[in-house]
Amino acid sequence: MVNFFKLYNPLSILWLAILLYLLRIGFIVSAPDKVEFIFVEPFARLLVPVTYEYAFSPALNVFLAGILVLGQAVLVNYFVNHYNLLGKPTFLPALMYVTIASLFKPFMILSAPLICNFLLIWMLFKLASFYKGDDAKSTAYDLGIIVAIGSLIYLPFIFMFLAVWIGLIIFRPFSWREWVSAVLGYVTVFFFLAVIYYLSGRFGNFFRIWAPLGSKFPNAVRINYLNYLVLVPVLVILALYFIKLQQNFYKSYVQVRKCLQLLFFVLLIAGLSFYIKAEFNLVHFIMCVVPLAVFFSYYFHNATKRWFYEGLYLLLLISIVYFQFNTF
């Protein structure tokens, strides 16, 4: 299967869609009667004055989430091919995105982090454009706005502001104007939100928006580790990616190296920003899927022993399906 997606064939999108919904069968079979969908933070609820939390049936919810995932997979694939991160056009990033986005049941339904992935992909396009841009102030301003919009949808997305500054460090010589432009972009969105709070007589609550940012990082998270054995092949592939990257890093173009460095920091930010939510929720980690899809596709694209990488990918698929039907 991996070899098929190594080729750049538009028909691959059809097979991606089939694989996408096959990997969701386990959840559809055991789906609860109601599935909640919240796509804005409580402090931004004023902007959406309608009841929508249970507007979709579980089946429709999964179907719509699948469409979003497929769209994001195509966008990630376009990003990788546009910036030539793998050396030649391929559909591997889309395959990896669809696969990793099926790891856990919470990934398979509509959620705020899933919607934020569109914003994250948009950010990556703009951040990568820093490399050849002469003046990045307007782009940095746009990125600040994107992060602010993402924060309205899902507050932990605020930490992606760090990715903007890291991108400026990686791609650009230092210019304080570019750094300030990103801040101004972020402030612009929340200025208008403050106006809405003021006009609705709730301005005193506006400053409580930032209270979760003061949460302490947890020393431990209570989870049943047996339910996370599906991550074993994920960690193996990720380790193999770093080995392969070490072998090829200085053989790559400078822009490719910088993009991969940026994606590494995006992965760290996405993975560590879960703590400001009161309850630990797996759905947060769907934001890690974007960089992981690129890393996985890099490994599978450069792997040479077909029997090994095909078997490894098959093991990943089997693990995903098995843990959908079996919990401990």
Side-chain angles (χ1 to χ4, degrees), residues 58-242:
L60 181 58
N61 190 304
V62 174
F63 176 76
L64 293 175
I67 292 176
L68 295 186
V69 168
L70 185 61
Q72 291 168 0
V74 173
L75 288 173
V76 170
N77 200 83
Y78 178 72
F79 170 77
V80 172
N81 290 333
H82 181 72
Y83 289 103
N84 200 30
L85 299 188
L86 300 183
K88 66 178 183 179
T90 175
F91 259 99
L92 277 178
L95 173 66
M96 295 303 141
Y97 192 94
V98 165
T99 305
I100 304 170
S102 305
L103 271 177
F104 299 106
K105 290 182 179 180
F107 287 8
M108 301 180 189
I109 58 176
L110 293 171
S111 63
L114 177 62
I115 295 173
C116 282
N117 273 0
F118 279 111
L119 299 176
L120 179 55
I121 296 167
W122 189 10
M123 285 181 63
L124 290 177
F125 275 100
K126 286 188 170 292
L127 287 167
S129 71
F130 280 158
Y131 182 70
K132 293 184 178 180
D134 295 327
D135 186 4
K137 290 193 291 293
S138 61
T139 304
Y141 182 82
D142 293 342
L143 284 164
I145 290 177
I146 294 171
V147 174
I149 293 172
S151 302
L152 297 178
I153 298 171
Y154 186 61
L155 185 59
F157 197 79
I158 190 175
F159 286 100
M160 284 301 160
F161 200 91
L162 296 175
V164 177
W165 279 349
I166 291 171
L168 287 170
I169 293 172
I170 292 174
F171 290 103
R172 305 284 302 173
F174 178 76
S175 171
W176 66 269
R177 292 179 178 85
E178 294 173 356
W179 287 57
V180 172
S181 294
V183 176
L184 291 176
Y186 189 91
V187 170
T188 299
V189 173
F190 276 86
F191 170 77
F192 286 108
L193 182 64
V195 171
I196 294 173
Y197 264 76
Y198 177 78
L199 294 177
S200 61
R202 299 175 58 185
F203 189 71
N205 296 329
F206 177 75
F207 297 99
R208 297 178 186 174
I209 292 173
W210 321 108
L213 298 179
S215 304
K216 293 183 179 179
F217 196 85
N219 295 322
V221 178
R222 294 182 180 179
I223 57 175
N224 186 343
Y225 292 98
L226 292 177
N227 290 329
Y228 295 86
L229 290 176
V230 67
L231 291 176
V232 171
V234 172
L235 295 176
V236 170
I237 297 171
L238 188 60
L240 291 172
Y241 156 74
F242 283 114

Side-chain angles (χ1 to χ4, degrees), residues 201-315:
R202 299 175 58 185
F203 189 71
N205 296 329
F206 177 75
F207 297 99
R208 297 178 186 174
I209 292 173
W210 321 108
L213 298 179
S215 304
K216 293 183 179 179
F217 196 85
N219 295 322
V221 178
R222 294 182 180 179
I223 57 175
N224 186 343
Y225 292 98
L226 292 177
N227 290 329
Y228 295 86
L229 290 176
V230 67
L231 291 176
V232 171
V234 172
L235 295 176
V236 170
I237 297 171
L238 188 60
L240 291 172
Y241 156 74
F242 283 114
I243 294 172
K244 190 63 68 174
L245 179 65
Q246 184 183 28
Q247 296 171 353
N248 299 331
F249 188 72
Y250 290 105
K251 299 177 184 177
S252 306
Y253 292 111
V254 174
Q255 185 177 20
V256 173
R257 297 203 299 263
K258 289 179 179 292
C259 285
L260 292 176
Q261 289 170 359
L262 174 65
L263 286 165
F264 173 73
F265 286 107
V266 169
L267 177 63
L268 287 181
I269 294 168
L272 296 176
S273 57
F274 71 92
Y275 77 95
I276 65 173
K277 282 293 186 180
E279 295 182 2
F280 177 78
N281 198 329
L282 268 178
V283 74
H284 168 87
F285 296 95
I286 198 169
M287 292 196 298
C288 297
V289 174
V290 176
L292 283 177
V294 180
F295 295 163
F296 280 30
S297 60
Y298 185 95
Y299 164 69
F300 283 107
H301 184 268
N302 290 285
T304 53
K305 295 182 180 180
R306 182 177 179 181
W307 65 269
F308 181 77
Y309 66 72
E310 291 281 7
L312 188 58
Y313 180 72
L314 181 61
L315 176 62

